[in-house]
Amino acid sequence: MPVLSPTWTNERIELLKQHFEAGLSCREIAADIGVSRNAVIGKLSRLNLTRGRSVDERRLQDRNQDRNQNRPSAPRAPKAVPRLQFEMLATIYGEADGPVATGPIDEANRCSLMELGENRCRWPISTPGAEDFCFCGNAAHDGQSYCAGHSRLAYRPNSRGRVMRG
DNA sequence: CCCTGATTCGC
DNA sequence: GCGAATCAGG
């Protein structure tokens, strides 16, 4: 079927149930299937697959169903999709740029401050003051304070401005 | 403040 | 029936 809008097909519902039972949140399910979070919830509700009838108090609204909220007066033009962990999830899910691939940094060369040499990575491990506080200790390029992996982390071209500049 | 869950209403 | 909007809670 080239065209048509197969809203909720059997497979779609299968995935929905699978992910739902898998313990994934509606946001994840929605992102995975490719629909909106409300769509997933709506379908689940329709299928009576709601995860427990939590908050019965929601019933209370039954009496407060006033339409006094006045909604047509709300110019919600910028319907920006919620952002946050979703970005992280999306990043590690598919559009991985590669920062995660930088992960495998040797932590077998950890050493204390005294053991730190001229060409040793000075990336702090753990929290300063902790018993096991130490440094990366990997081979650092000349002039650099960190090894290749940690240098990349230190020079994250992201966020506002540069972090660790100097 | 943001996010998640569930219900209700319009199409 | 589907999905957005809305409400409610953490």
Side-chain angles (χ1 to χ4, degrees):
Chain A
M1 18 297 242
V3 283
L4 239 98
S5 303
T7 31
W8 284 103
T9 182
N10 200 341
E11 302 185 358
R12 220 59 94 95
I13 301 175
E14 287 275 309
L15 255 157
L16 178 69
K17 291 179 183 177
Q18 289 290 314
H19 289 167
F20 173 74
E21 292 178 40
L24 290 170
S25 50
C26 294
R27 170 59 64 175
E28 307 308 305
I29 302 173
D32 181 76
I33 300 180
V35 295
S36 200
R37 156 176 157 274
N38 285 345
V40 174
I41 297 177
K43 186 62 181 176
L44 283 170
S45 298
R46 224 172 306 120
L47 289 164
N48 282 275
L49 281 171
T50 48
R51 214 176 261 176
R53 306 100 202 260
S54 35
V55 279
D56 325 284
E57 296 179 62
R58 201 126 305 120
R59 278 290 178 197
L60 191 70
Q61 75 155 201
D62 165 56
R63 116 191 261 277
N64 230 23
Q65 218 171 33
D66 305 1
R67 225 131 246 74
N68 295 352
Q69 260 67 43
N70 286 0
R71 70 153 112 131
S73 300
R76 253 134 220 189
K79 186 122 160 273
V81 185
R83 71 282 184 198
L84 196 90
Q85 303 148 331
F86 172 65
E87 292 187 37
M88 292 167 53
L89 265 290
T91 304
I92 64 176
Y93 237 80
E95 314 292 320
D97 270 297
V100 285
T102 321
I105 299 176
D106 270 326
E107 40 182 275
N109 294 321
R110 305 184 309 174
C111 58
S112 61
L113 179 60
M114 297 188 216
E115 299 291 327
L116 271 177
E118 289 290 311
N119 50 353
R120 288 292 178 190
C121 178
R122 291 160 190 167
W123 186 269
I125 306 293
S126 188
T127 50
E131 292 181 37
D132 60 335
F133 176 68
C134 52
F135 296 89
C136 174
N138 277 334
H141 301 150
D142 47 37
Q144 290 289 28
S145 300
Y146 310 112
C147 65
H150 285 137
S151 291
R152 201 150 302 162
L153 291 174
Y155 278 89
R156 287 273 260 203
N158 208 339
S159 279
R160 35 176 99 133
R162 269 102 203 215
V163 254
M164 290 188 167
R165 202 59 156 146

